[in-house]
Amino acid sequence: MKKRYFQLGLGILLLLMACSSLKDQTKNILNQAETSDKQNAEDLPAKLRQEQQSIPADSSNSVSNNPLQSPKTQSAENIDTTLPQFPKEFLAIQDMEKTLRDLEYTLTDHDTPLTKNERKSLKQQKKEVEKKLSETKKAFKKKQQDKKKEMERRQKIEDGDTLSFWEKQFPKKTDRHITFPRIYKEKPRSILISHPWNRSDCTFAEDLFYASLQKPLALRGYYIIPPLLMNEFFTDTLLHTHHGKNQDLKHCKTDFGADAVLFVTIYRVEHEWWSSATKMNAEYLLRSTITNDTLFFRKIDYIYDTPLPPRRYKKDKNGPEISEEEQNLLNVCIAMQTAAFNDFPFGPYHPKHTKDSTSFSHRPFMRYNINTRPE
Amino acid sequence: MKKIPSCGLLILLSLTLLGCSKDLYNYRRYEDNMYAFARNGQTEKDERSLLSSYKTLVNKQKRGRKTPPPGTCAEYGKLLYRKGNLKEARKQFEREMQLYPESKTLVLKIMKDLEP
């Protein structure tokens, strides 16, 4: 037994020895590489060195001519080039670095000997410049970071995701006149609902939306251009969301008397057979026909998952013929429209018209989930 | 025993809240009729049920503003015109213009097209 333990110990020792020798070898290789670099640098002829020293002066001139030149070639040390650049500050840093280099050169230059006092004053000067440089670099970095944050925030707004996690969980109260200032300024009276753009897999989604969009807006006190009358004009493709979304809308004012046009893009309408949830996703965009400005924007992700029916009504024998599946989808669609416009400013036919400017509203550019799944 | 009056109060409160519903118009099953009409290719049965729903919408409004919802008179007028009831259709169009002056441009345009 003792012999075996001895053999095992020996084996482990040998292994450790081999590992340590490998480490040493790699270290040696790295050191050799470093020393060769240094030697190369030292071997440079005096002429070349002079050229190198004359480069900063030239480069600074070139920078002053072209301040937006790529910072990698001008390179001040430790500056992240992926961040936004400020040419003025960058040039100041470069000037300081240049003076530092000059000072260092004069201090180390053995061809022109310096007196003790001169050396002392130069060293003091160098220290001051170094201090100033570190301060300006810090300020520059901070400015860059702030600018980057601002840019990210703007990008978020453009993407439609403005709220942080905390704000999403506990939304702040935002007044309607702040979120929809253009509606309060323009005060549209009539709204035309354009033909929805169906980008979902559901083939009849546009009919669902078109039939259910009139009511929530009319109940908010607006005049809605009658959809049944508009049916014949839908041969004009500019009245379809797909084509007319970004076009000039002044013809809608002259032809139909609409003050604003509502564009609807449907992204998802589905109810899988294995799930009890109905999922819908759509985007609403209301644009003025007078100024072509966006008055209202909302992207809504609606999930209806509850045993309670979304809508109650009396069943009628002489009523319309709709299959059960379509009826369920229509009911959820109606619930979704009321949710989407529940903070829409009241129109001229509502007694609260212009009196609701300080009422609660969701933010104009936001995505929110309404999940009615019971806990 | 104390539960009975509190329950009564609750019922009373809910009833008053129900009575004070602030909707401007009563749309009944307008969306269903509209959807069926659009989906089923405007069949006669759907047209009939849509006509009857418009009739109630236009004539029996007891909620909020006590006037027909925007656009219903004009839509009813158009359906009546389809059925050949020209006189009633014109009446409905004029009513729409009277109730909602915003509809003037479109309704006048449609009336112009409908005239023989």
Side-chain angles (χ1 to χ4, degrees), chain A residues 189-190 203-204 207-208 210-216 218-233 253-259 311 313-322 326-327 330-331 334 348-352, chain B residues 22-40 42-43 45-46 48-50 52 54 63 65 69-72 74-79 82 93 96-97 99-107 109-110 113-114:
Chain A
R189 295 181 67 87
S190 52
T203 47
F204 50 88
D207 292 330
L208 285 175
Y210 198 62
S212 59
L213 269 166
Q214 189 187 5
K215 187 183 155 187
L219 290 180
R220 299 301 285 183
Y222 290 92
Y223 179 76
I224 311 300
I225 307 285
L228 204 72
L229 300 191
M230 283 305 295
N231 271 343
E232 12 178 303
F233 298 103
K253 178 79 183 164
T254 50
D255 293 352
F256 311 110
D259 295 332
R311 182 168 154 241
Y313 54 86
K314 282 178 192 173
K315 280 185 179 172
D316 189 10
K317 274 182 188 176
N318 301 322
E321 273 182 12
I322 309 172
E326 285 176 36
Q327 183 71 62
L330 181 66
N331 292 345
I334 290 163
Y349 291 105
H350 201 282
K352 281 184 185 172
Chain B
K22 286 170 187 172
D23 280 354
L24 291 180
Y25 318 101
N26 184 2
Y27 265 92
R28 295 162 206 272
R29 288 189 72 188
Y30 170 78
E31 295 105 324
D32 301 293
N33 288 308
M34 252 313 261
Y35 174 72
F37 190 65
R39 177 101 176 98
N40 302 338
Q42 308 187 354
T43 58
K45 202 202 165 185
D46 290 322
R48 233 180 298 138
S49 70
L50 193 64
S52 70
Y54 275 130
R63 208 181 275 179
R65 291 186 68 223
T72 41
E75 286 177 342
Y76 185 43
K78 199 187 173 188
L79 281 182
R82 267 192 182 192
F93 281 133
E96 176 81 13
M97 284 196 284
L99 286 171
Y100 302 100
E102 296 88 358
S103 65
K104 233 175 189 176
T105 32
L106 180 67
V107 170
K109 199 176 178 183
I110 283 168
D113 291 344
L114 297 182

Side-chain angles (χ1 to χ4, degrees), chain A residues 28-290:
Chain A
N28 282 334
I29 290 161
L30 282 170
N31 283 334
Q32 273 175 4
E34 275 178 9
T35 46
S36 67
D37 282 348
K38 275 181 187 173
Q39 273 176 355
N40 286 333
E42 280 165 9
D43 291 341
L44 276 170
K47 266 188 185 177
L48 247 173
R49 244 198 251 174
Q50 272 178 357
E51 273 175 19
Q52 267 190 341
Q53 279 148 7
S54 68
I55 282 168
D58 296 335
S59 70
S60 71
N61 284 336
S62 68
V63 167
S64 61
N65 289 334
N66 185 10
L68 292 169
Q69 201 177 324
S70 74
K72 265 186 184 175
T73 51
Q74 306 161 10
S75 158
E77 272 176 31
N78 303 323
I79 291 168
D80 191 353
T81 49
T82 55
L83 291 170
Q85 302 299 323
F86 298 92
K88 263 189 186 176
E89 280 84 346
F90 191 76
L91 281 175
I93 287 170
Q94 275 214 327
D95 284 343
M96 275 184 218
E97 278 179 346
K98 191 202 143 200
T99 47
L100 240 176
R101 255 180 272 142
D102 287 346
L103 281 168
E104 266 175 24
Y105 176 68
T106 44
L107 276 167
T108 51
D109 193 15
H110 300 294
D111 300 335
T112 51
L114 293 166
T115 58
K116 248 188 182 181
N117 280 339
E118 275 176 340
R119 195 173 283 277
K120 209 179 174 182
S121 69
L122 275 172
K123 271 184 181 175
Q124 211 174 346
Q125 219 179 322
K126 192 191 159 191
K127 260 186 187 178
E128 275 170 19
V129 172
E130 272 177 345
K131 203 181 169 186
K132 215 177 173 185
L133 181 71
S134 70
E135 276 171 12
T136 43
K137 265 186 183 177
K138 260 185 194 174
F140 179 64
K141 263 188 185 177
K142 208 193 163 191
K143 208 175 172 185
Q144 271 188 324
Q145 294 291 347
D146 290 348
K147 183 80 183 173
K148 197 186 175 186
K149 267 185 193 173
E150 179 64 23
M151 277 162 75
E152 280 172 357
R153 198 181 66 82
R154 275 185 195 174
Q155 187 61 43
K156 262 190 171 183
I157 291 168
E158 270 174 31
D159 294 345
D161 184 20
T162 52
L163 302 181
S164 65
F165 173 77
W166 191 256
E167 280 175 319
K168 272 175 195 164
Q169 298 307 314
F170 305 99
K172 278 183 197 170
K173 181 186 177 292
T174 321
D175 289 350
R176 275 176 205 169
H177 68 96
I178 295 166
T179 41
F180 314 116
R182 281 171 183 155
I183 294 185
Y184 285 99
K185 199 181 165 190
E186 287 195 21
K187 289 174 190 162
R189 295 181 67 87
S190 52
I191 296 172
L192 191 152
I193 301 166
S194 76
H195 198 269
W197 183 14
N198 185 12
R199 296 182 68 182
S200 71
D201 296 332
C202 180
T203 47
F204 50 88
E206 53 203 67
D207 292 330
L208 285 175
F209 272 72
Y210 198 62
S212 59
L213 269 166
Q214 189 187 5
K215 187 183 155 187
L217 286 167
L219 290 180
R220 299 301 285 183
Y222 290 92
Y223 179 76
I224 311 300
I225 307 285
L228 204 72
L229 300 191
M230 283 305 295
N231 271 343
E232 12 178 303
F233 298 103
F234 281 140
T235 45
D236 179 7
T237 49
L238 277 179
L239 293 172
H240 287 239
T241 301
H242 184 22
H243 301 285
K245 210 176 176 181
N246 303 313
Q247 300 294 325
D248 184 40
L249 300 172
K250 275 167 192 166
H251 69 101
C252 292
K253 178 79 183 164
T254 50
D255 293 352
F256 311 110
D259 295 332
V261 182
L262 181 74
F263 296 103
V264 186
T265 315
I266 309 157
Y267 291 102
R268 182 167 70 167
V269 173
E270 59 185 31
H271 180 91
E272 279 106 0
W273 60 269
W274 65 83
S275 163
S276 59
T278 308
K279 293 170 187 173
M280 288 187 186
N281 190 319
E283 187 187 277
Y284 304 86
L285 173 75
L286 185 78
R287 279 181 64 210
S288 163
T289 52
I290 305 156

